Amino acid sequence: MRGMRFPVASVVAMLADGMSPQDILTEHPDLELEDVSEALKYAAAALRERQLPLRRSA
C-alpha cells in the first residue's frame, strides 16, 4: 500500500477478525483510512478476476 510493505491480506484479515478500521489505524499508525479502503477494493478486484468452479450437488 502506497509503497509500504504492508500486506493487503493482513488488513483484510484484521477486518474479517472484527477489527474496525479505526482499530487498525490505532494499531498501525503508519496506515491511513484510505489504505484500509483501498485494501478492500484490491481484494474485491482480485476475487473478481478468479473463476471458481461450481460443484454440482448429487
Side-chain angles (χ1 to χ4, degrees), residues 3-21:
M4 302 169 69
R5 290 195 152 293
F6 201 98
V8 168
S10 295
V11 174
V12 174
M14 287 185 274
L15 291 166
D17 286 341
M19 290 180 74
S20 71

Side-chain angles (χ1 to χ4, degrees), residues 1 13 17-18 20-21 25 27 31-32 35 39 42 46 54 58:
M1 280 181 266
D17 286 341
S20 71
L25 298 178
E27 190 167 307
L31 294 178
E32 298 175 1
D35 296 325
Y42 179 87
L54 298 176

Side-chain angles (χ1 to χ4, degrees):
M1 280 181 266
R2 291 183 298 114
M4 302 169 69
R5 290 195 152 293
F6 201 98
V8 168
S10 295
V11 174
V12 174
M14 287 185 274
L15 291 166
D17 286 341
M19 290 180 74
S20 71
Q22 190 57 47
D23 293 336
I24 295 170
L25 298 178
T26 299
E27 190 167 307
H28 302 280
D30 290 342
L31 294 178
E32 298 175 1
L33 186 58
E34 186 175 347
D35 296 325
V36 176
S37 176
E38 290 299 316
L40 287 174
K41 289 177 188 175
Y42 179 87
L47 288 173
R48 269 194 299 274
E49 303 238 343
R50 294 181 62 190
Q51 289 185 359
L52 301 176
L54 298 176
R55 290 180 18 186
R56 298 183 82 177
S57 56

